[in-house]
Amino acid sequence: MHIAVVSLFPEMVSTIGEYGVVGRARDRNLITLEYENPRDHTTDVHRTVDDRPYGGGPGMVMKFQPVADALTAVKGRMPEACPRVYLSPQGQVFDQAMAKRLAALPGIIFLAGRYEGIDERLIKTHIDEEISLGDFVLSGGEIAAMAVIDAVVRLLPGVLGDDESAAQDSFMDGLLDHPHYTRPEVIEGKRVPDVLLSGNHAEIARWRNKQALGRSYLRRPELLDELDLNVEQQVLLDEFLKEQSQ
Ligand code: 4GT
């Protein structure tokens, strides 16, 4: 997959390609990462990328021309059919289903805004999709772009090894993750649940499913509304709630 990011702070975003899972995907040529800085598309001596908002008020707005030219330059180097994605709180809220959809694309061009955001006409003419991480405000779109890139790249075939497969991640089945434990067996008097030491893999899988269902019910009930629990899952959730009230 080919990933491009248009940003005033490309060095900030490029750290994503230097560490961990995304770094390894890049080392193995499973992805390419490239950057375009709107400041390199300015024509005035001050290399101006922002201007005052029409209508007044605080803050500045990213100018149309340098951003448009940066997006056009990067589009020329990318495969056809790469959507241009603008990260902003006004977008569709990002989730695992969206990550899966994006992971099937040949490439994505991300635009990270700064200041109060970009000129609205850019969204109309140069942006295909607007994505939000949720209802909070960041000072720039870079961290949002990095989050989406991380979520998408780890879904690409061959990026995760068998032992870290995305199939078992939380949300892959629409539920929160089950609890995790590692050595030692006792910490400050708190024991690891016995079933996890039993070696009975069917029982362990059953316990994990029960915990995932129970935690989702307690912490994010709206997740269960999206699922049609089968009889087995309904039994596990009932068991969880019974054990919970003991
Ligand atoms: C929040 C999000 C985001 C921002 C989010 C334009 C200038 C937007 C600053 C940027 N804040 N971007 N993507 N919740 N701020 O995803």
Side-chain angles (χ1 to χ4, degrees), residues 8 37-53 60-70 114-115 117 122:
L8 292 174
N37 192 333
R39 207 174 287 283
D40 295 333
H41 294 269
T42 54
T43 52
D44 64 315
V45 280
H46 297 108
R47 315 228 300 157
T48 310
V49 292
D50 62 330
D51 205 343
R52 290 167 300 154
M60 300 291 270
V61 176
M62 287 181 85
K63 287 172 70 64
F64 184 96
Q65 175 267 319
V67 175
D69 289 355
R114 282 273 153 178
Y115 317 115
L122 266 169

Side-chain angles (χ1 to χ4, degrees), residues 89-154:
Q90 285 73 47
Q92 282 279 110
V93 178
F94 187 66
D95 64 7
Q96 195 65 24
M98 208 185 280
K100 284 184 200 170
R101 174 172 62 79
L102 296 179
L105 296 168
I108 310 171
I109 300 166
F110 292 98
L111 171 60
R114 282 273 153 178
Y115 317 115
E116 303 305 311
I118 62 177
D119 188 299
E120 186 68 17
R121 292 163 293 185
L122 266 169
I123 300 176
K124 296 266 140 52
T125 59
H126 286 72
I127 293 299
D128 303 299
E129 196 168 335
E130 209 169 338
I131 294 180
S132 169
L133 292 192
D135 295 339
F136 56 90
V137 178
L138 298 167
S139 26
E142 284 81 6
I143 292 175
M146 292 162 78
V148 173
I149 292 167
D150 188 283
V152 168
V153 168
R154 60 200 309 291

